[in-house]
Amino acid sequence: MNLEGRIVRLRAVEPEDAELLYAWENDTSVWSVSGTTEPFSRAQMERFIAAQLQGGDLFRTGQLRLIVETRAEARPVGIADLFEFDPLNRRAGLGILIHDDALRGKGYASDAVETACRYAREVLNLHQLWCNVGSDNAPSRRLFAKAGFAEIGVKRDWLWRPDGYGDEILLQKILE
């Protein structure tokens, strides 16, 4: 499955992505936005990928991880996740990570979010997507606002960080 954006493609995770996902998931500099609290092993990454390849579809597992790659070079630059899929209420959470700092601000995340929203609306028939963003994460807040997500709530002192607690913003986009 390939989902084509203007400059990115969202594609299914492949076995050869194991090492890349292992590196990205274990990069402690992104743990504060991913909610990760402990390292992943290579074996865990390989099992995760195998589960997705063996019919681990969104309707069964509630999660779909997609690799964000450039259309021109087919170079992986990040991941997009649909998670906490709720078919009854037709909604899911959306997370996005462009891993390399040097690749941020080049439109990859924006195109990936737009492509994921189109897929959620047109293929999955979802009514809404939502995401949680730390109040201090201005780039992500701008990204989702630009994509039509509205800030609908604040979870006070929700995120613990070494320098203290911070708020988390709940954003929502109605797709219809």
Side-chain angles (χ1 to χ4, degrees), residues 10 12 17 24-25 36 39 41 59 67 74 76 80 92-93 104 115 149 171 173:
L10 304 182
D17 295 318
W24 287 351
E25 292 286 359
T36 303
S41 70
F59 286 87
I67 299 294
R104 294 181 187 155
T115 303
F149 284 73
L171 299 103
K173 179 174 181 171

Side-chain angles (χ1 to χ4, degrees), residues 148-166:
F149 284 73
E151 294 187 4
I152 60 165
V154 178
K155 300 174 194 174
R156 300 279 177 218
D157 284 350
W158 198 257
L159 303 171
W160 180 85
R161 302 217 173 99
D163 59 346
Y165 283 92

Side-chain angles (χ1 to χ4, degrees), residues 112-133:
V113 167
E114 183 179 303
T115 303
C117 288
R118 189 175 62 250
Y119 170 68
R121 182 183 62 252
E122 294 175 5
V123 176
L124 299 175
N125 195 32
L126 294 185
H127 173 65
Q128 62 182 284
L129 291 173
W130 59 270
C131 63
N132 294 311
V133 176

